[in-house]
Amino acid sequence: MAAKRLTYLLFAIWFAVAAGPSIAQETAAPTVKTAPEKAPAVKEDPGLKEVLNELLRGSDKPLPPPAPQGRRLPFGRAEIQLSFAPLVKETAPAVVNVYASQQVRARSPFAGDPFFERFFGQAPQRMQSSLGSGVLVDPSGIVVTNYHVIRDADEVKVATSDGREFTSKVLLKDETLDLAVLKIDGDKPFPVVPVGDSDALEVGDLVLAIGNPFGVGQTTTSGIVSALARSHIGVSDFGFFIQTDAAINPGNSGGALINMTGQLVGINTAIYSRSGGSIGIGFAIPSNMVRAVAEAAKQGRDYFERPFIGASFEPVTAQIAEALGMSSPLGALVAAVAQDGPSAKAGLKPGDVVLSLNGVRIEHVDALGYRLATLSVGTAATLAVLSQGEEKTISVTPVRPPEGASTAEVTIGGNSPFAGTKVASLSPRLAQRLGLGTDTSGVAVVSVERNSPAASLGLQPRDIVREVNGEPIETPEQLSEAAARDTRWWRFTVERNGQLMRQMLRY
């Protein structure tokens, strides 16, 4: 009997919902007629009808579990029909197209031959261009894009969504982060996308990718955050990417990754693809790193200077974790500590494992590098450290990287394999600028002039000159003296990416 009553009750509720306002009007008590009033419409809730239908049919299908606070599945047809259009209209005007161009000389089989160059001249130059995207993050005209979009460019132009075109100035570029900051000037403030907190992202959050894929024009794609803290994807030395399945293609580089509140949470940087097109695996640089780089450019720096704590780190392998009694290989192993540096003063020692920074767990060494890079100089950071089997907490205050005793850069001229290079003694600050380890020493190549003897022989920035004609090189002045000697036979040793390369040639 109770089951029948429950069935009748559910049927009555279902019928009232389905019938809408007509039942209420027919069963209402008579009232005195005054001015005609429109009966309030009863908003149909298709979600409720579906639930009642399931109950009336006696379905054994369990109800879905309650969603976490702030996030839930769509409930009914009305929510499924929602659109991203208002969000796109708000943010798309701040996403721009970036055009980079450079003059390159065509390759010639007679290049370097004085006889043929005398009669036929040098090979003609041609224009080489690249296309990408960028994001306006400041009304004054600050644009953030990828370094690889403007690499070696002689001229960089920016086109806004309203059709205007500007010649930009490169304020900052950092190859290790694959980020660059441009500046354009206009007669009125530019639209911007507010920079959000990328640490607030969770896997499964909805995001939009806005850019200029294949040069077809501004395009918006949607997806979710597929993963966080991706590393070793082969794009740059940076190892903390947001992964998304929002379609990203060539030309999207430097474009915006937007969350559902209209904030910038990443700069689209790379894709994983076998065909050159999107297969749903794209990567973006987190906005917290973008904010730090943009602030450095506003302060007048031409590269991003990371806070210095005077320590280097290595990954925690499964073997190391087992040896240290750890249940899993997490954190970052302290490999070396600089004497009198902030880490040494805080009590950090080689062999310690950093488990968290400011309460955020460190999954791997690249995650620690990202967290350290976004710290503020002079602001203490709290590290949870595993030291000799015991966990402890220490406080480290980052500082600017030391500059070293000698900061002069020497340009090598004359007729030698090093002509056209600019070299300097390595200090922690210069090493960081070049993307080398802060404990590296020696004489490093800072830049190489285009079409110079050094460039034709393949010398590159970040190369460290160790020896020339049997003499060790420890200062830029020694290299300058060695390069000025009158000889046609050259033997020298250069260190590149940790490997020694020995060359012997007649020049």
Side-chain angles (χ1 to χ4, degrees):
M1 182 66 68
K4 289 184 178 180
R5 289 179 179 176
L6 177 60
T7 302
Y8 294 152
L9 177 59
L10 292 175
F11 183 82
I13 295 174
W14 175 86
F15 187 78
V17 173
S22 59
I23 298 297
Q25 293 173 355
E26 292 176 4
T27 59
T31 57
V32 179
K33 293 186 178 180
T34 57
E37 293 183 1
K38 184 178 180 180
V42 178
K43 186 177 181 180
E44 182 178 319
D45 192 343
L48 179 59
K49 289 179 63 178
E50 293 174 2
V51 173
L52 293 175
N53 283 334
E54 291 289 339
L55 290 174
L56 288 173
R57 287 196 297 266
S59 173
D60 295 331
K61 181 180 179 181
L63 294 176
Q69 186 176 2
R71 293 178 173 85
R72 62 178 175 81
L73 296 174
F75 190 66
R77 288 193 300 266
E79 291 195 5
I80 295 177
Q81 293 171 353
L82 294 176
S83 171
F84 293 127
L87 189 62
V88 175
K89 290 179 181 178
E90 178 185 351
T91 57
V95 181
V96 300
N97 298 335
V98 178
Y99 304 92
S101 59
Q102 67 176 120
Q103 293 281 351
V104 295
R105 192 173 297 279
R107 300 178 66 92
S108 170
F110 306 118
D113 190 304
F115 176 79
F116 284 98
E117 286 187 351
R118 178 181 178 183
F119 289 97
F120 298 101
Q122 294 184 340
Q125 291 187 337
R126 59 183 177 86
M127 184 69 70
Q128 181 176 312
S129 60
S130 62
L131 171 67
S133 305
V135 185
L136 282 158
V137 296
D138 190 271
S140 64
I142 301 294
V143 178
V144 179
T145 186
N146 284 137
Y147 170 85
H148 72 260
V149 172
I150 65 162
R151 184 198 309 267
D152 300 326
D154 297 321
E155 185 180 44
V156 180
K157 292 187 176 181
V158 172
T160 56
S161 60
D162 57 5
R164 292 182 295 168
E165 189 173 284
F166 304 86
T167 299
S168 69
K169 176 184 177 182
V170 179
L171 298 183
L172 179 152
K173 52 184 180 180
D174 193 308
E175 183 178 5
T176 60
L177 296 177
D178 197 21
L179 284 176
V181 181
L182 313 176
K183 177 69 168 65
I184 58 177
D185 296 317
D187 54 359
K188 59 182 179 179
F190 291 95
V192 300
V193 179
V195 181
D197 182 10
S198 54
D199 287 344
L201 283 177
E202 296 184 15
V203 175
D205 283 352
L206 287 170
V207 287
L208 301 179
I210 308 177
N212 185 12
F214 297 108
V216 300
Q218 192 175 85
T219 302
T220 301
T221 55
S222 67
I224 64 170
V225 175
S226 305
L228 297 171
R230 285 297 195 215
S231 60
H232 305 296
I233 66 172
V235 177
S236 65
D237 295 340
F238 183 67
F240 199 89
F241 291 89
I242 301 167
Q243 182 181 329
T244 177
D245 68 345
I248 298 174
N249 287 290
N252 273 109
S253 293
L257 191 69
I258 305 294
N259 64 11
M260 292 297 102
T261 60
Q263 295 178 323
L264 179 73
V265 292
I267 292 292
N268 301 324
T269 298
I271 60 173
Y272 178 84
S273 175
R274 298 181 184 275
S275 61
S278 173
I279 59 173
I281 304 178
F283 301 96
I285 298 174
S287 59
N288 286 353
M289 177 61 71
V290 175
R291 180 189 293 108
V293 172
E295 287 298 325
K298 292 178 185 179
Q299 295 171 9
R301 300 176 186 170
D302 60 354
Y303 75 100
F304 178 61
E305 188 177 272
R306 297 160 183 76
F308 178 77
I309 66 168
S312 58
F313 302 90
E314 294 179 353
V316 177
T317 63
Q319 293 78 8
I320 292 176
E322 182 179 1
L324 296 177
M326 300 173 63
S327 58
S328 58
L330 297 174
L333 179 69
V334 180
V337 177
Q339 187 176 4
D340 299 328
S343 294
K345 294 177 181 178
L348 198 65
K349 299 177 181 178
D352 292 348
V353 178
V354 177
L355 302 176
S356 70
L357 190 153
N358 289 338
V360 180
R361 191 169 78 158
I362 301 300
E363 298 286 347
H364 48 76
V365 66
D366 291 323
L368 177 61
Y370 163 72
R371 299 292 175 190
L372 290 174
T374 55
L375 293 177
S376 299
V377 171
T379 303
T382 302
L383 301 179
V385 178
L386 178 65
S387 181
Q388 297 180 353
E390 297 182 359
E391 289 192 22
K392 64 179 183 179
T393 301
I394 65 174
S395 179
V396 178
T397 303
V399 298
R400 292 191 67 188
E403 203 162 14
S406 175
T407 61
E409 296 182 356
V410 177
T411 300
I412 307 298
N415 187 25
S416 75
F418 302 98
T421 60
K422 184 179 289 185
V423 298
S425 294
L426 280 172
S427 64
R429 187 172 298 182
L430 178 59
Q432 188 185 97
R433 174 184 169 187
L434 297 177
L436 301 170
T438 54
D439 56 346
T440 309
S441 61
V443 177
V445 177
V446 178
S447 62
V448 180
E449 294 180 7
R450 192 178 299 173
N451 300 323
S452 65
S456 64
L457 290 174
L459 287 177
Q460 302 175 5
R462 302 174 61 184
D463 287 347
I464 303 173
V465 182
R466 294 298 186 188
E467 177 263 339
V468 175
N469 290 338
E471 296 183 7
I473 301 299
E474 298 178 354
T475 65
E477 291 75 18
Q478 288 179 338
L479 179 58
S480 181
E481 292 176 3
R485 290 175 184 169
D486 186 14
T487 179
R488 301 193 65 181
W489 290 97
W490 295 89
R491 291 183 296 108
F492 55 90
T493 303
V494 172
E495 180 180 340
R496 180 181 297 171
N497 298 328
Q499 297 183 345
L500 294 178
M501 302 184 301
R502 293 178 174 85
Q503 296 287 333
M504 185 172 67
L505 53 89
R506 186 174 183 268
Y507 184 81

